[in-house]
Amino acid sequence: MRLDRFLSEMGVGTRREIRDWCRRGIVTVNGATVRQTETAVSPETDTVCVDGTQICYVAQEYYMLNKPAGVVTAVTDAREKTVLDLLPTPRRKDLFPVGRLDKDTEGLLLITNDGPLCQSLLSPRRHVEKTYFARVRGRVTPEHIEQFHLGFSIGDGKLTQPAGLVILSAGEESEVLVTITEGRYHQVKRMFAAFGYRVLYLKRLSMGPLQLDPNLAVGSFRHCTAEEVFALKQVLRQAGTS
């Protein structure tokens, strides 16, 4: 791999900045100063440093983010703060959020550069479960549980896939857990709106095998553990054998 690609992919700097650093002699490979950006390096065996700081190459990264309300789920946005802005810098330039959470929705969001895994998690054919906690204005009843299980129209001409609904508390405002396998626009909100109810608060708790870390504060992130990545990879492996 070229040195400039190595550093650029890890988000250390632009190609122009990397050329300037090499000219200034602050880039080293295995302790030796390197002035040519096209120098070949091995991400597995070579030690690359910029101004004395080692830059480690990671081919694929997986972040768990506890998304706060008020932040848009996008890579870039000209006006709004995005979920990528919550991650550290420098960072890989090819990271992206897996799926979308509404601006006012909190909770679990996976951020990665693993395209095949993203496709497997979001594919309608995979039926990957996503569970949400919701606070709803309106009394949720066992009859709603049956409707969620059977499927119903949310205004776009087709029925929802069977969904799970667990009532945690019921009253003028109800608290529930909702599990869906689709990713239709504003789906949870539209499901309750079909009964004349309004979702007051929505938080995603899980996506497939990935569970939101209860110790992860709103707006915070961490790298997924090896066990979590392994479980996610199982979804990809199952997709490859189906």
Side-chain angles (χ1 to χ4, degrees), residues 3-27:
L3 174 63
D4 52 359
R5 178 186 168 190
F6 177 108
L7 294 174
S8 178
E9 285 196 6
M10 299 317 299
V12 176
T14 64
R15 295 292 179 105
R16 176 177 294 181
E17 289 172 330
I18 294 166
R19 286 197 300 271
D20 179 61
W21 296 337
C22 286
R23 284 196 297 265
R24 290 164 51 195
I26 64 172
V27 179

Side-chain angles (χ1 to χ4, degrees), residues 188-209:
V188 174
K189 295 176 182 177
R190 291 165 63 199
M191 291 174 83
F192 284 104
F195 299 102
Y197 295 170
R198 179 185 173 195
V199 173
L200 304 175
Y201 174 79
L202 189 62
K203 179 177 184 177
R204 184 155 68 187
L205 303 178
S206 68
M207 184 178 191

